[in-house]
Amino acid sequence: VTWTSDAVKGVIGKGGANIRATEEATGCKIDADVEAGTLAITGPSAQVAIALTMCHNAAFGEVQDVLELGSRNAVNVVYGPNFQTIRGLQDSTGCRLDIDRGTTTLKLSGSAEAVANATAQIRALLDANRGFEMTIENSKVGSVYGKGGETLRSIQDRTGTQIDVARGPTHATVSVMGSMEASQRARNMLQRAIDGEVELKPGEVAEEVELGSATAAVIGRGGSNVAELEKTHGVKINVRSELQKARIVGRAENVAAASKAIQAIAKPILDAEAAQKKADEQQASGESAWQVDEGDDDADGW
């Protein structure tokens, strides 16, 4: 038979105790290859069947069950940091737990009592770490990940949550698993990342600049102006087009310089808009720079 290397190790047992006991009890010869994950049992057919059952129980326990975890987040919750959680579950229940690489299916093996106990503990663990899901535009996924995944890792490390992002055609689903308190902290941090709110480091300040109709001009083609402003002034700039605002983060003197540069881009556009608005209002009210009152003597020449 071909099983896994771990299963064959279970057949052999500590110091070969299991395999010797099976051979002595059945009179069969058992050859176990851990690397290949195979067992070769030779002897009378009836005894081979008994030996196979004994080997199976030694490898997988008296009872086998599977539990579909449903997501990679759930898998990571069961594993725990440095696999501490899954090891603790095995130690406390006496149940063997295995998750094949690349799957979300948990295999449980051991006595009926151990499997039932482990199943109950795992379900309770997942329920306590239910978390939440949020939907964001695909354009915001980069903000969640951050440069090289730095933002996402930081949120996970600081909150102890597990976070997974699944893109769709236009929107992405952000799945978070963790305790209620940890999940709420993660939600707040994710929202700040989505909104572009860079966390201030020691010595940094933040300033918000109203852009109005000059928003597109400040951003520049493909974000070129923002990139140039960030490079020139050593700041981080987040422009929220829907609010027509820019948030600048950095050293006070750098933020002031960047703010001045942004206002220099925006002012001519905003001034022109204000002048046009005033002219439109005058025209709507019947006033005009060219309008002459009937009693104005200076108009006699006309």
Side-chain angles (χ1 to χ4, degrees), residues 36-47:
T38 60
L39 289 176
I41 307 173
T42 56
S45 59
Q47 296 305 105

Side-chain angles (χ1 to χ4, degrees), residues 189-200:
M189 293 177 72
L190 283 167
Q191 191 60 58
R192 288 199 295 271
I194 292 166
D195 292 342
E197 295 184 18
V198 180
E199 292 193 29
L200 300 182

Side-chain angles (χ1 to χ4, degrees), residues 8 16 18 28 71 78-79 83 91 101 129 149 158 205 221 225 240 242 248 255 261 269 275 283 292:
V8 173
N18 289 348
C28 294
S71 69
V78 172
Y79 276 143
F83 301 97
D91 292 343
R101 184 184 296 273
N129 289 272
R158 292 169 62 183
V205 299
R221 187 172 183 178
N225 285 352
R240 297 191 63 182
E242 71 277 14
I248 314 168
V255 168
I269 298 171
Q283 185 175 12
V292 179

Side-chain angles (χ1 to χ4, degrees), residues 73 77 125-134 155-156 158-163 174-192:
N73 276 349
V77 167
L125 174 68
L126 295 177
D127 188 60
N129 289 272
R130 189 178 301 169
F132 66 92
E133 289 186 349
M134 63 191 301
I155 295 173
Q156 290 185 121
R158 292 169 62 183
T159 63
T161 57
Q162 299 294 333
I163 304 175
V174 182
S175 302
V176 179
M177 287 193 73
S179 68
M180 185 180 299
E181 181 182 351
S183 294
Q184 186 57 52
R185 291 202 307 272
R187 185 194 292 274
N188 294 339
M189 293 177 72
L190 283 167
Q191 191 60 58
R192 288 199 295 271

Side-chain angles (χ1 to χ4, degrees), residues 209-288:
V209 180
E210 295 283 349
L211 303 179
S213 59
T215 299
V218 171
I219 294 173
R221 187 172 183 178
S224 58
N225 285 352
V226 169
E228 183 62 29
L229 286 164
E230 289 182 328
K231 182 179 178 181
T232 300
H233 300 288
V235 295
K236 178 66 178 176
I237 302 173
N238 179 63
V239 178
R240 297 191 63 182
S241 298
E242 71 277 14
L243 299 179
Q244 296 186 325
K245 294 180 179 180
R247 187 170 188 263
I248 314 168
V249 174
R251 296 284 179 180
E253 61 275 17
N254 296 349
V255 168
S259 177
K260 185 176 180 180
I262 289 174
Q263 290 173 19
I265 296 173
K267 189 174 186 303
I269 298 171
L270 297 178
D271 287 349
E273 181 185 40
Q276 183 61 52
K277 183 178 179 181
K278 184 177 181 180
D280 291 344
E281 289 173 350
Q282 288 177 339
Q283 185 175 12
S285 65
E287 299 178 9
S288 171

